[in-house]
Amino acid sequence: MITVKTIKDVRKMVREARDKGQSVGFVPTMGYFHEGHLSLIRRAKAENDLVVVSLFVNPLQFGPKEDLASYPRDLKRDQEMAFQAGADILFTPEAGEMYPSNFQTFVEVAEISQGLCGESRPGHFRGVATVVLKLFNIVAADRAYFGEKDAQQLRVVRRMAADLNLDLQIIGCPIVREPDGLAMSSRNVYLNPEERQAALVLYRALQTAKQSIENGERDPQIINRRMQEIFLAEPLAEVDYIAIVSSETLKPIVPLSGEVLIALAAKVGKTRLIDNMTIQIDS
Ligand code: AMP
């Protein structure tokens, strides 16, 4: 595996591979890898000849009071893990390489960016869409891999790819969890031992929702209330939002039917965590 820092170098290597007829898989990340990231890299390796992983903590998608400065970073560790998982190229640009001083173009994916995380993090998906389109233009891939963990992000990227006629396939991959159910996240390192235990409340709330639906409940308000009650029993956690919506449009469906997304965000101590689950309702 080779680590490259410039747009010019990564472009050249991808072009050479494509000229040889090789297929290219791309995994955009912000680094500090865990099994969630590695599952995407392994899938990309299984389906493509060349795998490019980008590691870029994108300033544009962080709000002024968010954790850009403290976001966990460990390049050596990430290089080793990406290599073991099958990455061929690790692209690690500096912020100045991606956003030179006269940068002034932004991508806005309107409707699907609203609500859920879009409401709590104004400008977040504009930052995501902008950097992802730039990365797609830099790394001319056949397939790009995203986790269902960031459910709204995946839908924003899919919408952008369709609306702007991007010539690549967007592939969604399942959420990887710790054995006790906590969704893996680079931000989990912020949690102290009590918070780590308290963080299980997100998964518990999702399980409660799933159980309610399996028991025949179709009223999202009632399910929402049951989930809120789970959170009330956990003093270290505070709900940001709970959304029970159409998995496709992220809009409410009452009564619930079809593919439903149950998504939530909560603060555990100072750490904001997200998680979600999709459930198919046939009747
Ligand atoms: P990040 O570095 O957090 O921006 O994540 C990079 C990619 O990995 C995104 O497509 C995420 O959705 C995906 N990802 C992060 N955590 C997980 C997880 N626990 N399971 C599956 N995919 C994940």
Side-chain angles (χ1 to χ4, degrees), residues 28-31 34 36-37 40 71 146-147 149-150 153 174-176 184:
T29 82
M30 300 205 300
H34 49 67
H37 297 112
L40 306 187
Y71 198 84
F146 291 84
K149 160 87 188 329
D150 299 270
Q153 168 175 282
I175 300 176
V176 178
M184 291 199 183

Side-chain angles (χ1 to χ4, degrees), residues 19-38:
D19 286 349
K20 284 189 276 181
Q22 294 188 338
S23 59
V24 179
F26 178 42
V27 183
T29 82
M30 300 205 300
Y32 210 73
F33 295 149
H34 49 67
E35 277 298 318
H37 297 112
L38 302 185

Side-chain angles (χ1 to χ4, degrees), residues 56 58-60 94-103 127 130-131 134:
F56 179 58
N58 174 34
L60 211 57
E94 298 290 342
E97 177 82 358
M98 293 296 280
Y99 303 114
S101 56
N102 54 352
F103 186 87
T130 302
V131 80
K134 280 173 68 68

Side-chain angles (χ1 to χ4, degrees), residues 194-258:
E194 294 88 65
E195 291 167 348
R196 170 66 183 76
Q197 197 55 33
L200 290 175
V201 69
L202 280 84
Y203 188 59
R204 269 207 304 282
L206 290 173
Q207 294 290 100
T208 298
K210 181 167 183 263
Q211 198 76 62
S212 295
I213 290 173
E214 282 171 3
N215 291 343
E217 185 55 67
R218 297 290 180 264
D219 181 344
Q221 265 191 334
I222 291 177
I223 299 168
N224 189 314
R225 210 171 308 133
R226 286 192 189 137
M227 294 174 75
Q228 297 280 359
E229 278 162 16
I230 304 287
F231 272 92
L232 286 177
E234 180 44 77
L236 289 180
E238 194 191 336
V239 175
D240 174 359
Y241 70 79
I242 290 174
I244 304 168
V245 291
S246 154
S247 170
E248 197 199 333
T249 64
L250 304 186
K251 299 255 169 68
I253 353 166
V254 186
L256 295 176
S257 65

Side-chain angles (χ1 to χ4, degrees), residues 44-89:
K45 189 63 186 177
E47 298 178 354
N48 301 276
D49 299 312
L50 184 85
V51 173
V52 183
V53 177
S54 65
L55 193 174
F56 179 58
V57 184
N58 174 34
L60 211 57
Q61 71 189 67
F62 286 78
K65 291 187 184 138
E66 294 183 351
D67 58 342
L68 173 63
S70 60
Y71 198 84
R73 292 164 168 90
D74 188 341
L75 180 60
K76 275 236 148 61
R77 172 180 174 277
D78 283 349
Q79 282 172 319
E80 183 56 31
M81 290 170 81
F83 167 67
Q84 292 295 343
D88 298 294
I89 301 174

Side-chain angles (χ1 to χ4, degrees), residues 141-153:
D142 298 284
R143 299 175 193 88
Y145 297 81
F146 291 84
E148 277 285 357
K149 160 87 188 329
D150 299 270
Q152 191 173 13
Q153 168 175 282

